[in-house]
Each structure stands twice: as C-alpha cells, then as structure tokens.
Amino acid sequence: MKGKVLTLIVAVLLTTQGFSQSAKEVFKTAFPKAYGELKITDSTKYDPAKKNVYREFFYELSDALDEIRAYEIGALQPDYTKYFEYKALKSLDRDKKLDSLRFYIKQEQKLIANLMRNERFGADSIRAINNYMGFRNAYKTRNFDQAYKNWDILFHDYPKATRTIYTAGAVIIKNKIREAKDSLTRQKWIDTLMMIHDLRCKYYPDDSVRALAAKTVDYYNYMVMPYNKNDSLIRLRIEKNYNLAKKTVDMGGVLTPDYVYPVAMPLSFYMYVLKKITPEQFISDYMLFSDNLSFLYSHEKNPKIKSRIAAFRKMVDQVFTKSDLATCDNYEKIFGKNYDSLKTNVDFLKKVLTIMSKQGCTQTDFFSKVAVDLYHLQPSAESAHSLALLMATKNNYDDAAKFIDEAIQRETVDSIKARYYFDAARIANKRGLYPQARTYAYKALELKPNWGDPYILIATMYAKSAESCGQDDFQHRAIYWAAVDKLEQAKNVDPSVASKVQSLINDYTARFPKKDDGFFHSVYQGDKFTIDYCWIHETTTARYNQ
C-alpha cells in the first residue's frame, strides 16, 4: 500500500515539473519567431517590405493577450488554445506569473511598434485609424478635451499618421495653456507645444521651415513676453529665441513665412539693446527682414494676405525707426568707422546705399561718397540708381535722368526695375516733363501692377496741371476728375496707401466743377468727358459739387 502511494506522489511531482516553465520559456515556446526570423534588437533596421509580416505578428501577440484573459475568466477550453498549452497557463497561474507572461508579450509589441514608428499607421493600424477618426471628429466640433485623448495616443505612438497631429495638435495644446490653473501646469503644456514643433521637423522634414517659424513665434509669446531686460532668465530666452528666428530665416530664405518677422525684428532689437549683437548686425537683420517681406508682398496675389504682409512690413519698419540707430548721422558713424578698409567691398557698399536710401539719407556727403565709390568699382544698375538719387537730391535732375536711364537699361529683375522706372518718373516730374513722367509711371505699373505710388504720382501731376490746362474754370477743375480716378485705382490695387490716398481724394473732390458750370458746357452728372487738351488726354466721368 505504501509503495502505491509513493508511486502516485512521484507521478504527480513529475507531471507538475513537466509544466514548471518560466514565463519567458512559455513565451519563447509560443512565439519562437521572436527569437528567430523576426528577432528585434537595438541594431535591427526596419525593412518596409516586411510591414505586413510585422503587423500580423503584432496582432498575434494581441490575440495571445486575449487568450490569457479568456483563461483567467474561465472562458478558455483546454482543447481550444491557440498559442499556449493550457497546462502551461495553469502552472503560471498557480505561481502567480501570468502577469510576467503578459510583460514579455507587451515588451515584444513595444519592440515592433518602435521598429515601425516611421510607418504612417505604425504596427497597430486599426488602433491608429480609430484614434485618428476620433481625433478628427472631436477637433472639428471643438471638443478639445476629447480630441486631446485621441491626439495623445497618435502623438506618442503614431507620429507619422498625419501632419494634423502637429498643426491641430498645437491648437489643442494652446487651449491647455490657456486653461492651466498654475504656473507649473502651464509650463508643462508649453514644453509640450515646443516638442510638437520639434517632432514636426523630425517626422516631416519638408515642413521644417514652417515648424521652426511656428516655434519661433510660440516661444516668443509664451517664453519671452512680457519683455524685461532686467530678468536674467528672459535675457537668456531672448538669445535662444533670436538664434531660432535667424535659423528659420536662413533656412526659409525669401519664402520664410511672413508671420516670423514681427517677432524676429523685436528680438533683433532686444539683442542690440542687450549688446549681444553689433549695430551693424541689427541693421543687417532689418534689411534682410524688410527685403524678404517686400519679396513676399510683390509675389502674393491674395488681397487679404497681401494686406497682412504690408502690416507686418510696417511693424518691422516701426521697430527699426524707433531705435536710436535710425538717423543719417548714425549710419555715417557706424558704416564710416571702418570705411577705408571696406570701400572696395562691393557687397558692403551696396548694403550701405540700400539702407540709407530707404531711410531718406540720400542728401548726405557720406551717401555721395559711397555711391561714387560703388559706381567706379562696379558700374551696375544699383550703383547707377544710387547716383541718380544723389544727383536728384542736389537738384541736378539732368544728370539724375541720365543715371536712372542707365540703371533701367542694366537692371534685369522686374521688381527692382519697376522701382527704377518709378524713380525715373519722379525725376521727370521734378524736371516738369509730365508726359514723360507718366510714361515712366505706367512702365513701373506694367512690372508691378499692385503698386499704388505710380498712380498717386500721376494724380498729383494732373492736379498740378489743373490751373494751367484748359480755357476756363470748368476745364481747369474737370482735370481733378481724372486725378481722383487715378487715386481710386491706387487704393484698389494697393490697400497699404489707402489712408494717404483718401486724404488726397477728399482734397481733389472739393475742387470738382460746380453743377451750374457743367450745365453751360452741356456736361451732366455721369456723362463721359474727354480731357483732350493740354497733355492729359484722359476720358473720365463727370461728377459735381453742388
């Protein structure tokens, strides 16, 4: 009897030992390919050709997790297991090691997910698409709390699912920043916002300039403002923000998004005030930012965006003109300091002339000196143009006309040639050659149709001719109709001149003929009227003052 009992005990022990595998051994037995053809290590490089193989394996692992759960709730039949032997699960359960088995499964899933991180929908495409749909629908209805839950999964697990993760995600996180109850929570969300911009650069390199632009602006708004030059932390942030802005503009060139510049220019100013950059660098930044905005403005066709760019350009100008550098005397001090060693540097001379021309410093002796030196070094369109302006300031309009014509002939860039034509028109106007001035103005408009200044010049020349053109008071005053027509055209094509134009329109409208005078000439309200006298030769519409 004792022998039979002993035999039974040994048999039970042997049976139990047969299923005393560790959780790792159970996992390895169920999924040998995790250690074979699909083994993933730190040095494993993702093979896109195996995308479906990896995804299938990922879903098998998910099914294995479901099988463990079915065992735990008693829904798994011993004869219907797919991945694990029932006795193995029972043994792990007895030893309280089922969670260890889950760990190895989830660890393998994590390895697959990380390996497939650059796939649009990662390893678990079903989960990715479900979260994307939830995110998109919640975002559309401005349900940012729900959108955030789906976004958080996409952001961390499926970074290449869609660009919207970064663009719309920034909106969601800004909402979190606004709702933050304390400074620590607010800073956490600001850090997340900065991470969004960084990862947008990483996963969508073709979006890098826009991502950097967005980061520049957001860092400025959330980390630098309000500006306090006495705050050491703010000073460090200003320098970081400035370098970020410069990197953005360097990468983007003339196509850098326009909204960077109203931030980049103040940052340059702060750096100058803090003596982190030289006056020359501040001026150079201003010229670059202003020129880039001018390029964007000249190439933009959307009126709303064009108006926005004009406003940004004005903001950049205001920052510079409010600085202590924006005077003709300062330009001479700054640029004249090392002039003797730089006067054969063509790029330097061009930069000096451009900034001084823009700020109306063309009458100074220093400007004359630079213009002549540049012309001798490089008889170019730019140097001829500078000399034309120089001669004009000295009232030597005949020589000014010669130089401006040479500048026009040499220039090949339409946007610059348009400016030269307009300057030619202004010089001809000063010489009293109104028909020639108008011809030049129209040539400028051919190259730059959305420019108001040439129309304004024509209008003012008409107005100046009014008293001397025509045989009587009616014909004199009728010329103001044509002048106002040009002003209306200026306002229509170039919203940036609207306020200046409206003042002239009000002035000229007050000088329209009276209705009684029109009656005696048989010209009634709304009639077409041709000014075929003097040099005007315009057809306009009759409008009267009572």
Side-chain angles (χ1 to χ4, degrees):
M1 181 69 180
K2 289 182 179 180
K4 290 183 179 180
V5 172
L6 184 59
T7 302
L8 181 60
I9 292 172
V10 172
V12 171
L13 288 172
L14 288 173
T15 302
T16 305
Q17 288 174 354
F19 294 95
S20 61
Q21 292 175 297
S22 67
K24 186 172 184 179
E25 288 171 334
V26 171
F27 174 76
K28 190 171 183 178
T29 300
F31 298 104
K33 56 187 168 185
Y35 299 87
E37 71 270 23
L38 295 183
K39 184 178 180 180
I40 299 173
T41 66
D42 292 340
S43 61
T44 301
K45 291 185 179 179
Y46 177 61
D47 181 1
K50 290 185 177 180
K51 176 176 68 175
N52 292 332
V53 175
Y54 281 118
R55 276 189 178 154
E56 184 179 344
F57 185 26
F58 185 92
Y59 289 131
E60 286 177 4
L61 293 166
S62 295
D63 290 343
L65 289 171
D66 290 340
E67 188 167 288
I68 295 171
R69 182 58 183 154
Y71 166 79
E72 288 179 316
I73 63 175
L76 184 66
Q77 298 299 316
D79 296 332
Y80 292 95
T81 61
K82 183 175 181 181
Y83 299 102
F84 307 109
E85 288 192 39
Y86 190 87
K87 292 178 180 180
L89 292 177
K90 191 172 182 179
S91 175
L92 291 176
D93 187 23
R94 185 189 64 243
D95 296 337
K96 302 187 183 307
K97 291 183 178 179
L98 283 177
D99 282 343
S100 295
L101 179 58
R102 281 195 184 90
F103 168 79
Y104 288 114
I105 295 172
K106 290 180 178 179
Q107 186 182 50
E108 189 66 25
Q109 284 189 314
K110 187 176 181 180
L111 288 172
I112 297 171
N114 287 336
L115 186 66
M116 297 185 67
R117 198 167 179 79
N118 285 327
E119 278 291 342
R120 183 180 179 190
F121 292 120
D124 191 350
S125 58
I126 296 173
R127 178 171 177 257
I129 292 170
N130 285 340
N131 276 282
Y132 171 68
M133 296 301 292
F135 162 68
R136 187 184 67 175
N137 294 335
Y139 184 82
K140 280 184 177 179
T141 58
R142 314 298 283 179
N143 184 355
F144 288 156
D145 287 338
Q146 179 57 50
Y148 172 76
K149 294 175 183 177
N150 298 116
W151 172 86
D152 192 48
I153 293 171
L154 292 170
F155 182 66
H156 288 98
D157 295 345
Y158 309 99
K160 291 200 72 174
T162 170
R163 292 172 197 263
T164 314
I165 293 174
Y166 305 99
T167 53
V171 176
I172 292 171
I173 299 305
K174 286 178 184 178
N175 186 62
K176 293 285 187 184
I177 295 171
R178 283 192 297 271
E179 293 178 347
K181 304 298 184 184
D182 57 80
S183 59
L184 287 176
T185 302
R186 184 175 187 272
Q187 188 58 52
K188 182 192 81 170
W189 292 121
I190 291 173
D191 292 343
T192 301
L193 181 61
M194 297 303 124
M195 190 190 304
I196 287 173
H197 299 317
D198 290 339
L199 291 181
R200 183 180 175 188
C201 289
K202 177 180 178 180
Y203 291 108
Y204 291 95
D206 57 323
D207 256 6
S208 289
V209 172
R210 290 193 173 278
L212 288 172
K215 184 176 181 180
T216 297
V217 174
D218 287 340
Y219 192 91
Y220 181 81
N221 290 332
Y222 294 117
M223 300 293 282
V224 171
M225 290 288 100
Y227 168 65
N228 180 0
K229 69 178 181 179
N230 296 318
D231 186 325
S232 59
L233 180 58
I234 293 297
R235 291 200 299 269
L236 289 173
R237 289 175 177 175
I238 285 171
E239 187 167 2
K240 179 179 179 180
N241 205 177
Y242 171 76
N243 291 334
L244 182 60
K246 289 286 285 180
K247 179 181 178 181
T248 303
V249 176
D250 288 344
M251 285 182 63
V254 293
L255 299 179
T256 301
D258 57 356
Y259 50 80
V260 168
Y261 298 107
V263 167
M265 192 61 203
L267 286 169
S268 181
F269 174 70
Y270 298 148
M271 289 289 283
Y272 162 67
V273 170
L274 295 170
K275 302 187 185 306
K276 296 283 188 178
I277 61 173
T278 63
E280 291 86 349
Q281 183 60 54
F282 176 55
I283 292 173
S284 179
D285 286 345
Y286 166 64
M287 291 171 59
L288 176 64
F289 301 161
S290 181
D291 288 348
N292 285 0
L293 281 170
S294 295
F295 176 88
L296 292 173
Y297 183 86
S298 65
H299 287 77
E300 183 55 60
K301 298 194 183 328
N302 185 308
K304 288 185 178 180
I305 298 177
K306 202 173 186 73
S307 179
R308 183 183 75 195
I309 295 171
F312 288 163
R313 189 167 56 180
K314 185 176 180 181
M315 290 168 66
V316 167
D317 287 341
Q318 286 174 340
V319 172
F320 182 74
T321 53
K322 286 180 180 178
S323 73
D324 59 0
L325 293 179
T327 67
C328 299
D329 288 342
N330 274 334
Y331 295 144
E332 182 169 355
K333 289 177 184 175
I334 293 167
F335 294 126
K337 185 167 55 177
N338 299 311
Y339 187 78
D340 287 342
S341 62
L342 292 169
K343 65 182 180 181
T344 57
N345 185 322
V346 171
D347 290 337
F348 169 75
L349 297 179
K350 287 180 178 179
K351 182 171 75 171
V352 173
L353 293 179
T354 300
I355 189 69
M356 294 189 75
S357 297
K358 195 165 188 176
Q359 296 299 319
C361 299
T362 56
Q363 297 182 2
T364 66
D365 291 339
F366 183 66
F367 181 90
S368 304
K369 180 180 180 181
V370 177
V372 171
D373 285 346
L374 178 60
Y375 188 75
H376 288 317
L377 282 173
Q378 191 180 74
S380 63
E382 189 171 6
S383 58
H385 175 250
S386 297
L387 282 175
L389 296 181
L390 175 62
M391 297 303 152
T393 60
K394 297 181 180 298
N395 298 323
N396 185 353
Y397 295 114
D398 290 341
D399 285 341
K402 293 176 184 176
F403 282 117
I404 198 65
D405 283 341
E406 182 180 343
I408 291 170
Q409 290 171 9
R410 288 180 177 275
E411 187 52 62
T412 58
V413 179
D414 285 350
S415 60
I416 299 175
K417 183 176 281 194
R419 181 157 55 92
Y420 291 175
Y421 270 127
F422 180 62
D423 286 338
R426 292 195 301 163
I427 291 169
N429 173 42
K430 288 290 187 180
R431 299 171 73 197
L433 303 175
Y434 295 156
Q436 186 184 71
R438 180 173 61 183
T439 298
Y440 279 131
Y442 280 136
K443 285 184 178 294
L445 288 167
E446 287 176 11
L447 298 175
K448 191 177 177 181
N450 298 322
W451 192 10
D453 288 338
Y455 286 115
I456 296 172
L457 178 63
I458 295 171
T460 57
M461 290 191 298
Y462 285 176
K464 283 190 290 186
S465 300
E467 292 302 316
S468 58
C469 283
Q471 297 179 352
D472 56 25
D473 190 59
F474 173 80
Q475 288 193 345
H476 295 329
R477 291 177 176 271
I479 292 174
Y480 287 104
W481 291 337
V484 169
D485 290 343
K486 298 302 175 190
L487 293 174
E488 291 289 355
Q489 282 181 281
K491 190 166 63 171
N492 288 338
V493 302
D494 188 354
S496 69
V497 301
S499 58
K500 176 171 65 174
V501 164
Q502 192 57 52
S503 176
L504 288 172
I505 289 175
N506 294 340
D507 181 20
Y508 293 171
T509 300
R511 304 184 193 196
F512 282 176
K514 294 180 180 178
K515 200 169 187 178
D516 291 344
D517 294 335
F519 175 79
F520 288 112
H521 285 78
S522 299
V523 179
Y524 303 100
Q525 182 79 13
D527 283 356
K528 292 296 181 185
F529 181 76
T530 300
I531 304 171
D532 56 0
Y533 45 90
C534 221
W535 66 279
I536 308 296
H537 300 291
E538 293 271 9
T539 298
T540 183
T541 301
R543 288 149 286 178
Y544 292 104
N545 287 322
Q546 297 299 327

